Amino acid sequence: MTRQSGSAPRLDFEVHHSCWHEIDYNSIARGSISKVGNGDFAFNVDNTGMQTFIPFNTLSSWGWHNDSLPADGEKLSDYHGVEVLTHGRNVSYDLEDPDLPEVSKWLTANPNRVNLGRIGLKYKGDTLAQSLITKPRQELDVWNGIITSTFKVDGQDVKVVTQGDFETDAVTFQIESDLISTGDLQVNLDFPYPPKHNVTSSSDFEIFMGSYDFPLNHTTSIVTDPKGPRDGVAHIYHGMDETTYFVNFRWPCRSPLSLTRNEPQGSSAVTAHRFTLSPATSSRYERPSTSISFTAHFSLDLELPASPSAIRNRNSIAWNRFWSEGGFVDLTESSNPNATELQRRIIMTQYYMRVNSAGTGQIPQESGLVYNGWWGKFHLEMSVWHCAHWATWGRQQYFDNIFPSMYETLMPTSKARTHNMGWEGTRWPKMTELGTGGIAPGETRAYLMWQQPHPMYLANLAYQAKPTRQTLKEWDRVITETADYMSSFAWRNETTGHYDLGPPSKGVTENSFPLETRNLAYEIAYWRWGLDAAADWKRKLGRAVPEKWSTVAENLAPPPQIDGMYIPWEGSGLNSSWWEDPSLSKDPRSVIMLQGILPDTPAVDPEVGLKTSNKMWEVWTDANIRGWGRSVLAINSARVGNPERAIYHMTNYGYWPFDDAGMPTRSGPNPSPPPYFPGGGSFLYAIGYMVAGWEGSEGDTPGFPKDGTWVVKHEGLLKAL
């Protein structure tokens, strides 16, 4: 389909469909799926366009649940962190308390995001079996945000059209088959209960969320609107302890449906919370219906949902607008054999980032709205990777829907913890959620540092897109609180005269020794840039720059180096042999981030950075690069003037696969299940770097080789920092 004209001239480009022809059931079982959604809500589908034989999840940004509290006498109120001697004083960090092991685990896993329910097909009174499905084909129309699934059941054609809604947390279905008229094909609804989270590892990936084995732990019921029943409308209430919500249904009155409960209330069967949606029998209708059309709207409140036709119309318009606005990159005139797949990834990643990462007031969890990794909580150190592309790709509205409100929401709890630790300002946690702003005890989560300057980075992206006084004022409090903490955390080393960071400290690669290391290379350079950026922010507002900010920034220890190259940190006996130490060199990305995502700063010597980058090319081999590592390598390569390496990292498809549906994986050693959305966001951000450049870059497409095989047309992209 040709890309339509928007408010500005658009590239003449066909937005590709991503098609699955013969569905690979093994890839589906691994989590390779398609989906519809709006950034706050997503419905994940198997090859029936629903959740029929694979129990994929229905996730939201608002659906959370708490496990039962520890039953062994441990109390949440007794947890106050663990004291660690820090430059002469005891500081309580969010570590696992050996005296409160169950409380420590509970705080890590709670609250946890919940699967809101399953909607699939049933055949002849039972869940449609995979073995009965033949000739499956599924097409995702990204221009309109429509999934069309066709298949046969016992030789009879079935077609399911699935569509989401940008305006509400709803999904709509149009199901067509002669099997509906015979009563053999119906819609199956089911509601799981969250499992107890035992926290046996640092992440606990839940690909298929919820359990149907505890029917007596929760309640479901068909309820009526207090204002009275309406034709074509029904509601299901679901209560799980303190978590309650509704599924609000609507269908066309001319094609009435009947919602019935399969088991009596209070049943202890595993099917206790199943419901059936099927055509209503009525003498008013002469011919049996061969279609089912309905909206399922998930909400904390009982509401009147939009009709299926209204959602189908407005959501296609919204998707068309999404593709017609913002930045775009066209590689279709390129002769390079890698161009077609790179183009597909650029298109599909934008679709999935819109569905998973365009939330209201918060960044997504690393697995988006697909499944739970890290119990559904988001990671603040990934905020730039998740969201910087919104700003540089000209889609600022999605960026502004998240920032700075996310930091404002987290500020009260974060500021209180910072005060209790004896520092000024606000210290941002690593892993949390908006509801409580709570903590997750653990060494990496207690000591990680590189999320702290992110507000300065994000604020500068916001100001580049909208250089107004209003932008300056909106971000000023968050920047001030952040810089106050950063300057108070730095410790003056009387021997060197510099301000040190740590110990304790934990670096971006998470393989440092927190009680033995200080002055992590990337973190200390980022600290310098962040404090300078905060001072510049105050000057733009015409306000005084706090003296402490400038004193610390100008006297920070430099990023450590040996033999004319940067090394990850000082301490723990680190020397030039670290390049040959597989426990360290397996993930050395911190030393190239100094000239990767980090903007130019006096803390970084470009010549040392170039030499380090060249060494990295020799040492960090493809099999060891994981997650967003390829993106930062591509950014670094472009910035040091080596576009050949940049495009190599973006097109090394064998080592960085995107799954069958087009979502990024977390490749490398010990990969997590797909998808991995910091990989998707960083991929788009890196492409933006390579196409539009960065502050100080010269010429067009500085990250693409000028070898004649790449023809890069683009519009609407802004330079990165």
Side-chain angles (χ1 to χ4, degrees), residues 381 427-428 430 444-454 485-486 489 500-502 504-508 517-520 523-524 526-527:
E381 79 274 19
R427 177 180 186 266
W428 305 111
K430 177 197 184 299
T444 295
R445 295 186 281 268
Y447 295 139
L448 199 71
M449 297 171 59
W450 69 291
Q451 72 271 28
Q452 303 306 333
H454 281 352
Y485 164 70
M486 289 168 57
F489 177 78
D500 289 346
L501 300 182
S505 60
K506 192 80 168 180
V508 60
T517 56
R518 64 181 182 277
N519 298 336
L520 300 152
E523 283 75 4
I524 203 160
Y526 198 12
W527 227 260

Side-chain angles (χ1 to χ4, degrees), residues 478-552:
V478 171
I479 286 178
T480 300
E481 288 289 329
T482 303
D484 282 345
Y485 164 70
M486 289 168 57
S487 59
S488 70
F489 177 78
W491 171 73
R492 180 172 171 78
N493 186 325
E494 298 298 336
T495 301
T496 64
H498 292 304
Y499 281 90
D500 289 346
L501 300 182
S505 60
K506 192 80 168 180
V508 60
T509 53
E510 301 183 6
N511 60 353
S512 58
F513 310 96
L515 301 183
E516 301 173 20
T517 56
R518 64 181 182 277
N519 298 336
L520 300 152
Y522 173 65
E523 283 75 4
I524 203 160
Y526 198 12
W527 227 260
R528 171 65 194 270
W529 179 87
L531 287 172
D532 285 345
D536 188 53
W537 202 264
K538 288 296 184 184
R539 285 190 284 268
K540 285 186 175 76
L541 279 166
R543 297 174 184 169
V545 176
E547 183 179 353
K548 183 68 177 293
W549 298 3
S550 300
T551 299
V552 172

Side-chain angles (χ1 to χ4, degrees), residues 353 357 363-366 382-390 677-678:
M353 296 307 287
S357 298
I363 61 174
Q365 62 171 318
E366 293 190 359
M382 294 299 167
S383 58
V384 170
W385 286 138
H386 281 306
C387 299
H389 68 93
W390 292 128
F677 286 104

Side-chain angles (χ1 to χ4, degrees), residues 206-278:
E206 295 177 81
I207 297 178
F208 305 131
M209 294 167 53
S211 172
Y212 300 90
D213 296 333
F214 307 101
L216 298 180
N217 285 11
H218 55 129
T219 60
T220 51
S221 58
I222 299 173
V223 295
T224 303
D225 191 322
K227 297 179 182 178
R230 291 174 177 261
D231 289 342
V233 177
H235 311 274
I236 293 178
Y237 165 86
H238 189 200
M240 303 182 293
D241 307 308
E242 76 284 359
T243 300
T244 62
Y245 61 93
F246 296 86
V247 188
N248 304 299
F249 297 95
R250 188 169 179 182
W251 51 81
C253 291
R254 66 181 181 278
S255 301
L257 301 179
S258 173
L259 177 65
T260 58
R261 186 185 189 104
N262 293 11
E263 297 279 345
Q265 191 81 31
S267 168
S268 60
V270 294
T271 56
H273 300 289
R274 287 189 185 177
F275 298 78
T276 298
L277 196 59
S278 57

Side-chain angles (χ1 to χ4, degrees), residues 580-591:
E580 284 73 49
D581 182 349
S583 67
L584 301 177
S585 62
K586 69 179 180 180
D587 191 355
R589 74 186 76 182
S590 62
V591 293

Side-chain angles (χ1 to χ4, degrees), residues 391 396 399-400 457-467 471 475:
Q396 190 65 27
F399 185 98
D400 292 341
Y457 195 99
L458 295 162
N460 273 272
L461 286 173
Y463 188 73
Q464 176 182 247
K466 292 192 294 187
T471 301
W475 279 90

Side-chain angles (χ1 to χ4, degrees), residues 1 3-4 15 35-39 41 140-147 162-167 311-325 347-356 358 390 395 398:
M1 81 196 52
R3 204 158 183 257
Q4 306 297 313
V15 176
K35 65 191 308 179
V36 296
N38 59 24
F41 168 85
L140 169 59
D141 173 357
V142 297
W143 173 254
N144 292 293
I146 298 173
I147 298 173
T162 312
Q163 201 162 351
D165 187 18
F166 279 4
E167 296 184 22
I311 290 177
R312 284 195 290 266
N313 291 335
R314 74 191 186 195
N315 200 55
S316 287
I317 292 171
W319 271 112
N320 296 171
R321 186 181 304 118
F322 173 83
W323 291 112
S324 298
E325 297 173 345
I347 295 292
M348 296 310 300
T349 303
Q350 290 178 83
Y351 176 85
Y352 286 116
M353 296 307 287
R354 176 62 184 87
V355 171
N356 290 277
W390 292 128
R395 295 193 170 109
Y398 304 110

